Amino acid sequence: HKDPHYVGDRTTMVHLFEWKFNDIAKECEDFLGPMGYGGVQVSPVNENLVMDNRPWFERYQPISYKIISRSGNEDEFKDMVKRCNKVGVRIYVDTVVNHMSGDANPAYGTSGASAKPNELSYPGVPYSSKNFNHPTCTIQNYNNATEVRNCELSGLHDLDQSQKYVRDKIIKFFNKLIDLGVAGLRVDAAKHMWPKDLEVIYKRIKKLSRKAGFPPKSLPYIYQEVIDLGGEAVSKFEYNKTAAVIEFQYGIVMGYMFRGEDNLSRLSSLEDTNKWRMMPSRDALVMIDNHDNQRGHGAGGEKILTYKDPKMYKMAIAFMLAHPYGQTRVMSSYVFDDPSQGPPADSNGNIISPEIVDGKCVKGWVCEHRWPQIYRMVQFRNLVNGEKLENWWSNGNNQIAFSRGGKGFVAFNAEKDDLKQGLQTGLPEGVYCDVITGEVVDGKCSGRTVEVDAKGNALIEILSNDTDEGVLALHIQAKL
Ligand code: ARE
Ligand code: CA
């Protein structure tokens, strides 16, 4: 369950947070497929509690496992998966099976069906009181593993996954998604479920659909949300036996680094997982920010970088995509001030589709995945996939550079002094176009160029007063 099953040389997924299925299908065809993205994580697809003012987080309050939400219905979901697979883009679903909704009275779901959360009754599944953990309690002490697993996470009614009946319902939901052609699942709140129950569930999930184009015997990619920054009873290392884990430490380390609050030169030993207490690379899914920590939910706090700090954010993303560690995920957001605020919607609560003008999203959608500095680094990662990290250089402070074999080279300047340095790029001789500031159009570079000599050396310059970019990236496909 640790292989994302990307098509060809693709390496990176994007979380199209709160996007509608029809819009995702179109984005796969128009942009993600042609530009080399490997997959899309979609927001929870199953029926959820309809809440006042439609906050984004209502989607983490399940009412049933029917595929119907503000993103669309089952037919639309099916059509999206098919169209994305067709252009080489895989779909990963955010699944919420630790709990059902919190209390609400009356409570109705996105299909219009009603439930009685206060009585632990969800007829759409159906679940009744006996399927939940008793006695009902609220998680307060993260130093007590049993409490973390068997009590409610902020009042969300906690299912008992040790029951065969509950497991069967969850497996049926997962298998339905697989029949529809998805490549994997994010397991929300995995920390709040017992690893042994999850192992039983994972073992019983189907192989990926042959009809959707997956090789025989492919297991779905499973990446579990286990926030572990150390110092709690539950450890992420309980979860990486057969499936992957989201490495939350990563975005926090990157936040400190690229804000200039820690020393970039220390990143030379990112591979030293003991130093940073990170998952082994093949077990980790990493990101700079996610839908929670970009708005102060979940872990990470104010150190997390987001689209609101574009220069530092683009540097951190470039580092993540240039460095071989982990499976990478790019966040794609909508503009927000209020952390509860849902996606752009009309007065009836229908989500308004992103509109794209000159390649950029407008109408409240940020679409980081369409920023040239980000999608060109996704292409960089695809190109250097499998190449060793080499030619590590640092000034001992906040200027670093490294190459990926002889195919790509990056340099970063996160300090107050200019970077002006002769460096070994590992690249063949030639003139290269920096893909952060431009691209090759009709044989000409629209951004900075760098000349690499016969020995692979080049003069690398990143000025500290550049307000837009603190990173430079070269690769063999952007050679003039
Ligand atoms: C909402 C309201 C609550 C209300 C509840 C029930 O905000 O006030 O009590 O509804 O009515 C998201 C939102 C929540 C929201 C929930 C349901 O973030 O605010 O609650 O949806 O609508 C812990 C978990 C981790 C979880 C984070 C947020 O371990 O699993 O909290 N993240 C996932 C998703 C979220 C989602 C849920 C889980 C629930 O990514 O988007 O919640 O499905 C330390 C610990 C962490 C802990 C963290 C924050 O760092 O180590 O384990 O994370 O604190 O408490
Ligand atoms: Ca639980």
Side-chain angles (χ1 to χ4, degrees), residues 257 260 262-265 395-400 412-415:
M257 291 292 168
D262 199 341
N263 195 319
L264 281 192
S265 68
N395 69 345
N397 197 7
N398 277 329
Q399 299 178 345
I400 57 168
F412 300 83
N413 183 9
E415 64 187 49

Side-chain angles (χ1 to χ4, degrees), residues 377-388:
M377 286 309 294
V378 169
Q379 294 167 342
F380 180 108
R381 187 176 192 79
N382 294 347
L383 179 69
V384 304
N385 197 4
E387 299 289 324
K388 280 213 175 69

Side-chain angles (χ1 to χ4, degrees), residues 19 59 74 127 217 228 235 281 306 348 374 377:
W19 279 49
R59 295 183 72 161
E74 185 169 335
Y127 285 137
K217 297 189 181 151
D228 173 7
S235 155
S281 175
T306 72
N348 295 319
I374 293 179
M377 286 309 294

Side-chain angles (χ1 to χ4, degrees), residues 351-373:
I351 296 175
I352 297 171
S353 299
E355 203 175 294
I356 293 146
V357 179
D358 293 335
K360 288 191 194 108
C361 291
V362 295
K363 298 236 166 111
W365 297 91
V366 184
C367 296
E368 294 91 324
H369 69 282
R370 276 183 172 262
W371 294 7
Q373 299 86 347

Side-chain angles (χ1 to χ4, degrees), residues 51 56-61 94 96 99 101-103 142 153-156 186 188-192 225 227-229 232 290-292 297-300:
M51 297 180 79
W56 61 272
F57 56 68
E58 68 170 41
R59 295 183 72 161
Y60 291 89
Q61 304 210 21
D94 192 353
V96 186
H99 51 262
S101 73
D103 279 345
Y142 275 91
L153 170 62
S154 9
L156 300 161
R186 170 188 185 268
D188 181 71
K191 178 188 205 168
H192 304 280
E225 191 221 12
I227 302 177
D228 173 7
L229 309 175
E232 287 182 15
N290 77 354
H291 71 284
D292 279 333
H297 287 235

Side-chain angles (χ1 to χ4, degrees), residues 108-176:
Y108 65 97
T110 37
S111 77
S114 62
K116 291 190 176 128
N118 332 25
E119 295 168 24
L120 303 175
S121 166
Y122 296 87
V125 182
Y127 285 137
S128 63
S129 169
K130 61 177 186 294
N131 303 126
F132 291 81
N133 279 315
H134 293 283
T136 311
C137 42
T138 303
I139 301 169
Q140 275 161 343
N141 180 7
Y142 275 91
N143 289 315
N144 178 337
T146 305
E147 183 173 325
V148 171
R149 267 73 174 253
N150 293 353
C151 291
E152 294 186 342
L153 170 62
S154 9
L156 300 161
H157 298 317
D158 201 53
L159 288 165
D160 178 1
Q161 291 85 7
S162 74
Q163 295 178 23
K164 182 167 181 302
Y165 178 84
V166 173
R167 291 205 289 253
D168 285 350
K169 292 296 176 194
I170 293 172
I171 291 160
K172 199 171 143 209
F173 172 47
F174 286 177
N175 283 342
K176 179 175 178 174

Side-chain angles (χ1 to χ4, degrees), residues 18-58:
E18 288 275 14
W19 279 49
K20 288 187 286 185
F21 301 145
N22 292 341
D23 299 331
I24 295 172
K26 188 159 188 302
E27 191 69 352
C28 282
E29 294 166 347
D30 292 353
F31 189 82
L32 301 173
M35 291 309 187
Y37 278 92
V40 177
Q41 178 186 307
V42 301
S43 287
V45 301
N46 59 292
E47 176 169 27
N48 65 261
L49 178 71
V50 174
M51 297 180 79
D52 290 346
N53 302 320
R54 312 303 305 260
W56 61 272
F57 56 68
E58 68 170 41

